[in-house]
Amino acid sequence: MPKNFLSELTGSFATPALENPTGVMMEAAYRDLGLDWRYINCEIQPDDLKNAVLGAKAMNWRGFNCSIPHKVSVISHLDDLGESARIIGAVNTVVNRDGKLIGENTDGRGFVESVKSSLELIKKRVVLFGAGGAARAVAVELALAGVANIIIVNRNQERGEELAKLVADNTSAGAEYHAWTKQYQIPAETDLVINVTSIGLFPNVDAELDIDTDFIKSSMVVADGIFNPPETRLIQTAKTKGCTTVNGLGMLVQQGAIAFEYWTEKTPSIEVMKAALSDALDITEK
Ligand code: NDP
């Protein structure tokens, strides 16, 4: 049997790519399973995206992630889309299936996976802050996972209303937009509160959501999409109220794990990925 020196290739196309730690957790998981796979973090300008995709196809890459600013524009270079990517209108993971490039979106499923052990989602009532790319993915996947209703709270009204309509038109969940009034009051019957805005993201770690914290009840599960730092102000406040909390590290690792499974058809170790990521980002969970 001749030796095989040909690694399988995966990677990421984004700009800026400098601070993207995904390769560290992916390669740790490849090594852990004894796979000779690589993850190449590429700095790709918008004008070069088409050639980058053609290059990946020519080199028989098994797949790649897309991040800012390519999640929407990559779609025109792909052969087909998975169901949730089609509804969300954005792709963060491309899978090479028998030479065809298929766009998937694992951001929202990653969030659903990360919250599932803390809350059974069927028929639950959700308040979601944000209406950007990640919020769209999270809202659509929560709806597909069976929540009853999602209230979208967003600073920009048009974007918020558009997301509520997207969920209501494409899934069986109810969805409505709430204007983000000063000291927003979370409805008492809410089961799950999620921040998918960039408020609190490093380096603005002291930034807080404009909400009346008296309306955070201990019965609510409170989650944050932000993973750097994992302990956002929102998570800290929710802990003092006695809530179960879910930080953004779980979402980051789980969306990567789902991409890993799409590419390799194997299940990675979440612990190995989480440890590699925490190490790379120099963060410790409290
Ligand atoms: P976008 O730029 O697409 O959206 C940003 C969102 O934040 C919008 O809803 C925007 O509101 C809101 N926002 C930003 N600043 C403020 C402010 N000062 N006051 C009120 N609202 C504000 O970003 P993404 O959706 O891609 O990312 C959002 C967050 O999710 C980021 O923090 C990112 O780190 C995190 N994320 C985490 C992932 C994970 O795996 N854990 C994966 C992907 C993202 P408006 O519409 O009014 O501008």
Side-chain angles (χ1 to χ4, degrees):
M1 185 80 167
K3 282 196 169 172
N4 181 356
F5 295 104
L6 189 64
S7 306
E8 300 290 352
L9 298 179
T10 58
S12 172
F13 298 160
T15 183
L18 191 78
E19 292 179 23
N20 183 355
T22 309
V24 174
M25 69 174 182
M26 289 297 191
E27 292 210 335
Y30 291 152
R31 272 195 305 277
D32 180 56
L33 289 181
L35 296 173
D36 182 16
W37 285 53
R38 299 296 316 279
Y39 187 101
I40 322 285
N41 188 25
C42 304
E43 176 83 30
I44 304 292
Q45 298 302 323
D47 285 350
D48 294 324
L49 181 64
K50 182 181 177 190
N51 285 338
V53 173
L54 289 173
K57 201 168 184 174
M59 289 184 279
N60 199 27
W61 278 34
R62 302 296 291 268
F64 52 90
N65 290 127
C66 279
S67 195
I68 291 171
H70 305 315
K71 287 187 179 181
V72 175
S73 51
V74 74
I75 291 174
S76 61
H77 309 305
L78 303 179
D79 296 304
D80 207 351
L81 296 178
E83 185 199 2
S84 59
R86 192 185 311 278
I87 300 174
I88 296 161
V91 163
N92 78 331
T93 302
V94 174
V95 191
N96 186 337
R97 292 194 181 117
D98 302 323
K100 296 249 181 294
L101 296 183
I102 313 298
E104 303 280 359
N105 195 312
T106 69
D107 278 337
R109 277 188 56 206
F111 176 78
V112 166
E113 283 301 317
S114 78
V115 86
K116 252 170 41 182
S117 55
S118 304
L119 183 71
E120 160 63 57
L121 291 168
I122 304 288
K123 296 205 162 54
K124 291 300 187 296
R125 308 187 72 83
V126 179
V127 171
L128 185 150
F129 292 92
R136 286 171 76 94
V138 168
V140 167
E141 294 291 359
L142 281 171
L144 294 177
V147 302
N149 186 65
I150 306 179
I151 294 171
I152 309 288
V153 186
N154 194 53
R155 178 181 61 180
N156 178 300
Q157 178 174 350
E158 198 182 335
R159 213 170 292 147
E161 284 178 342
E162 189 190 313
L163 178 52
K165 187 171 180 334
L166 181 83
V167 171
D169 288 353
N170 290 282
T171 75
S172 56
E176 61 196 286
Y177 169 72
H178 280 192
W180 198 334
T181 46
K182 263 195 153 328
Q183 292 287 291
Y184 177 82
Q185 299 179 350
I186 295 166
E189 66 275 15
T190 304
D191 301 297
L192 174 62
V193 178
I194 318 159
N195 172 38
V196 207
T197 73
S198 40
I199 299 169
L201 182 63
F202 181 85
N204 301 315
V205 297
D206 289 329
E208 286 182 77
L209 302 194
D210 190 0
I211 55 178
D212 184 339
T213 55
D214 285 348
F215 286 76
I216 298 179
K217 303 293 172 212
S218 61
S219 57
M220 298 173 182
V221 172
V222 177
D224 205 319
I226 288 174
F227 59 85
N228 190 13
E231 195 86 353
T232 57
R233 280 292 179 91
L234 177 65
I235 295 285
Q236 288 170 17
T237 304
K239 280 185 177 172
T240 66
K241 301 273 178 186
C243 304
T244 300
T245 60
V246 180
N247 70 35
L249 268 184
M251 175 179 171
L252 181 65
V253 172
Q254 293 287 355
Q255 61 82 26
I258 297 164
F260 186 106
E261 285 182 24
Y262 276 138
W263 296 330
T264 65
E265 296 180 351
K266 294 185 193 316
T267 307
S269 161
I270 298 297
E271 286 68 35
V272 164
M273 294 178 83
K274 218 169 183 173
L277 193 67
S278 301
D279 203 30
L281 293 175
D282 202 17
I283 44 185
T284 45
E285 279 190 82
K286 287 175 198 159

